[in-house]
């Protein structure tokens, strides 16, 4: 298996990153704050105005370390990476299958949708098991089980599968507030809002989804897949559709569960969020640091991978799934095995 390398997150505005020997060094006001060997890194993610020297950019490109630039709120701005790698035949197979949309492509979409709905349902089932079931949770899980059976047995086209995925998502988010046990009124859930998020929980989920998208995009590129050409998500300029496809399996167990844990354990409070003049709600700098720390810890947790029959860190799962998808596209495997949270 591919070794899981670390991601360096730079959250201090005004920081300067440069190369010193075989190390990445972070400086603030001329003082060294941290030092990380380059061979320990797979990517560097910088938030807000951060200076990156040309020597470090060149060293990262040469070593296959991806440099990602995000704005203060975590919105993607740019990626800097070295020469494209990967098997051209693999990408041609990916393009052909995505363009024709035949039964094989629909089967890949079915795997994504099955795993997403099953993992969302598992989050609800875990809440019912660990705490008193709130109104509607049992009903939602039963209806989601019916959708799962329909996806397995009767949905034939990609559009039908997309419809079932959307129906299950509506059920899931309709009861999401019943999973929140924090007494902070500002952390209640009223519905999904994006671009911009209009409340604290949406801001937290959007931030975590940004992190997960970055990891899934890097996973696609690491095995030679084009992250822009997906199967479940339609092509759109600037959208990493395949990375979003892979992310669907992982949203609920990695991002949603972490968001609920941070709020329910009161590690995040209303004061960790701020509202802008436009009405958008964002994490504060301190709140963002708390989330990033918890995100890295979450990625180190191990779970059994049913298909591989061995334990793997959660942070490695996007890479494993991208590798399995690549093998299927190359014809080495009859089907793409989705990842189910257990």
């Amino acid at each position: 298996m591919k070794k899981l390398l670390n991601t360096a997150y730079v959250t201090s505005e005004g920081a300067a990153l440069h190369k010193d020997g075989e190390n990445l060094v972070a400086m603030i006001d001329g003082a060294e704050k941290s030092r990380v060997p380059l061979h320990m890194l797979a990517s560097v993610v910088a938030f807000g105005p951060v200076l990156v020297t040309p020597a470090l950019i060149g060293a990262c490109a040469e070593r296959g370390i991806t440099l990602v630039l995000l704005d203060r709120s975590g919105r993607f701005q740019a990626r800097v990476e070295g020469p494209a790698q990967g098997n051209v035949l693999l990408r041609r197979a990916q393009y052909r299958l995505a363009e024709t949309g035949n039964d094989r492509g629909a089967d890949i979409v079915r795997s994504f949708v099955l795993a997403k709905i099953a993992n969302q349902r598992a989050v609800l089932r875990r809440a019912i098991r660990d705490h008193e079931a709130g109104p509607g949770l049992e009903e939602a899980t039963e209806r989601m089980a019916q959708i799962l059976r329909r996806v397995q047995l009767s949905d034939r086209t990609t559009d039908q599968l997309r419809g079932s995925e959307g129906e299950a998502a509506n059920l899931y988010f309709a009861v999401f507030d019943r999973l929140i046990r924090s007494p902070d009124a500002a952390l209640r859930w009223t519905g999904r809002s994006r671009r911009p998020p209009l409340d604290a929980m949406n801001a937290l989920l959007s931030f975590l989804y940004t992190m997960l998208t970055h990891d899934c995009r890097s996973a696609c590129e690491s095995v030679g897949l084009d992250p822009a050409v997906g199967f479940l998500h339609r092509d759109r300029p600037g959208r990493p559709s395949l990375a979003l496809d892979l992310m669907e399996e992982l949203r609920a167990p990695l991002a949603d569960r972490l968001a609920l844990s941070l709020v329910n354990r009161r590690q995040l409070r209303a004061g960790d969020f701020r509202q802008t003049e436009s009405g958008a709600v964002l994490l504060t700098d301190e709140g963002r640091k708390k989330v990033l720390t918890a995100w890295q810890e979450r990625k180190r947790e191990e779970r059994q991978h049913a298909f591989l029959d061995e334990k793997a860190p959660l942070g490695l799962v996007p890479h494993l799934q991208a590798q399995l998808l690549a093998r299927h596209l190359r014809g080495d495997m009859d089907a793409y095995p989705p990842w189910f949270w257990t």
Side-chain angles (χ1 to χ4, degrees):
M1 295 198 304
K2 178 180 174 66
K3 182 181 178 182
L4 183 64
L5 298 176
N6 290 330
T7 297
Y9 294 97
V10 184
T11 61
S12 298
E13 295 185 6
L17 306 180
H18 71 92
K19 175 179 178 288
D20 181 21
E22 292 299 311
N23 299 287
L24 178 152
V25 177
M27 310 279 291
I28 298 180
D29 297 329
E32 180 177 325
K33 294 298 182 180
S34 63
R35 174 182 293 260
V36 183
L38 288 171
H39 75 270
M40 296 294 294
L41 293 174
S43 57
V44 178
V45 181
F47 293 84
V50 174
L51 173 68
V52 185
T53 65
L56 179 60
I57 293 174
C60 288
E62 181 181 350
R63 291 163 176 77
I65 302 170
T66 301
L67 175 63
V68 180
L69 304 179
L70 308 176
D71 66 12
R72 289 182 176 91
S73 64
R75 186 179 297 275
F76 176 83
Q77 291 184 314
R79 292 170 60 87
V80 181
E81 52 196 351
Q85 299 178 354
N87 189 330
V88 64
L89 299 180
L90 171 62
R91 291 203 174 196
R92 284 184 175 179
Q94 177 188 358
Y95 299 150
R96 282 196 302 269
L97 191 56
E99 188 172 339
T100 57
N102 57 23
D103 289 344
R104 188 168 166 227
D107 285 341
I108 294 175
V109 174
R110 190 189 318 279
S111 292
F112 291 141
V113 172
L114 282 172
K116 178 180 182 179
I117 298 174
N119 290 338
Q120 286 178 325
R121 185 172 180 271
V123 169
L124 300 186
R125 297 297 301 171
R126 178 68 63 88
I128 293 172
R129 187 194 73 184
D130 294 346
H131 308 282
E132 184 178 351
L137 284 183
E138 288 282 6
E139 293 84 347
T141 59
E142 287 301 318
R143 291 180 62 187
M144 291 173 78
Q146 295 171 9
I147 295 172
L148 279 171
R149 287 191 289 272
R150 189 175 71 215
V151 169
Q152 287 179 301
L153 301 175
S154 59
D155 284 354
R156 297 300 182 205
T157 69
T158 298
D159 284 340
Q160 287 176 324
L161 292 165
R162 290 187 181 116
S164 293
E165 180 269 331
E167 183 182 353
N170 288 336
L171 286 169
Y172 176 73
F173 282 118
V175 296
F176 195 74
D177 185 65
R178 290 155 195 169
L179 309 181
I180 300 173
R181 302 187 306 278
S182 170
D184 288 343
L187 299 180
R188 305 308 306 184
W189 176 264
T190 57
R192 188 77 175 106
S193 61
R194 299 173 290 180
R195 304 185 190 93
L198 300 178
D199 58 43
M201 283 302 297
N202 275 286
L204 177 55
L205 286 181
S206 293
F207 184 76
L208 288 169
Y209 291 162
T210 296
M211 296 294 97
L212 184 54
T213 301
H214 161 67
D215 288 353
C216 290
R217 179 170 183 165
S218 296
C220 292
E221 293 171 333
S222 71
V223 299
L225 291 167
D226 187 339
V229 179
F231 302 95
L232 173 60
H233 290 82
R234 295 183 175 91
D235 292 349
R236 183 180 299 172
R239 181 163 75 174
S241 295
L242 185 61
L244 296 176
D245 286 356
L246 285 178
M247 186 175 75
E248 294 298 351
E249 304 178 46
L250 309 176
R251 282 180 188 263
L254 267 69
D256 298 357
R257 279 276 300 175
L258 178 58
L260 291 167
S261 177
L262 288 170
V263 168
N264 289 338
R265 294 178 182 176
R266 310 195 75 182
Q267 293 171 266
L268 284 179
R269 307 293 295 275
D272 290 307
F273 300 86
R274 61 184 177 86
Q275 188 170 35
T276 66
E277 293 181 358
S278 66
V281 176
L282 306 173
L283 283 156
T284 65
D285 289 345
E286 186 60 32
R288 191 166 56 199
K289 290 177 182 178
K290 292 178 184 178
V291 176
L292 287 173
T293 299
W295 175 246
Q296 290 295 75
E297 292 175 352
R298 177 70 167 153
K299 286 167 63 176
R300 285 194 288 269
E301 294 180 14
E302 292 191 345
R303 286 290 188 277
Q304 187 77 10
H305 193 293
F307 182 79
L308 299 178
D309 195 25
E310 67 176 289
K311 287 188 175 181
L314 289 175
L316 187 57
V317 172
H319 292 272
L320 296 174
Q321 293 308 113
Q323 191 173 53
L324 292 172
L325 178 59
R327 290 181 179 178
H328 171 56
L329 292 174
R330 282 196 295 261
D332 299 336
M333 297 173 55
D334 292 336
Y336 166 70
W339 183 78
F340 294 102
W341 180 52
T342 56

